[in-house]
Amino acid sequence: MKRQAGKAKDLTFSKQKLAKRQQGRCLECGESLFNDEETQVHHRLAKSQGGKDSYSNLALVHLLCHQHIHAVTERPMRECQQHNDRDLLTEEKTHVPKATAK
């Protein structure tokens, strides 16, 4: 598990934060997020239903788990896809990486 968790450093800052909050586990299947499967960010409460781009409303899940969630709930994948195409979350916009800080 520790070796797999070392893979977290390859994630964006926002995904690292989500993975840490979830103790390295996919919230859908409960397996390790660091098993070489692609991960995606999922909105727990859809933005169309008032959900926000805040860490408390987001979960990091495996791609296949994400597809399963949307298939079961009949929510279109595009509700989360735009977020997965971006690297930054709403709250991260205030974070300035040290390498670019002036």
Side-chain angles (χ1 to χ4, degrees), residues 15 18 22 25-33 35 37-47 53 57-86 89:
K15 286 185 177 182
L18 288 171
Q22 296 171 209
R25 298 278 177 200
C26 173
L27 290 185
E28 178 67 8
C29 69
E31 296 294 322
S32 172
L33 288 166
N35 60 2
E37 289 183 58
E38 182 180 340
T39 56
Q40 291 199 331
V41 177
H42 172 67
H43 287 84
R44 294 176 180 197
L45 178 62
K47 290 181 78 173
D53 282 343
N57 188 45
L58 299 173
L60 193 59
V61 294
H62 299 116
L63 171 61
L64 293 176
C65 293
H66 196 199
Q67 291 170 339
H68 178 259
I69 291 167
H70 284 273
V72 172
T73 61
E74 298 182 8
R75 279 176 45 197
M77 218 31 198
R78 69 179 178 273
E79 289 188 10
C80 292
Q81 196 58 44
Q82 180 184 10
H83 188 74
N84 283 300
D85 292 341
R86 296 184 323 193
L89 303 178

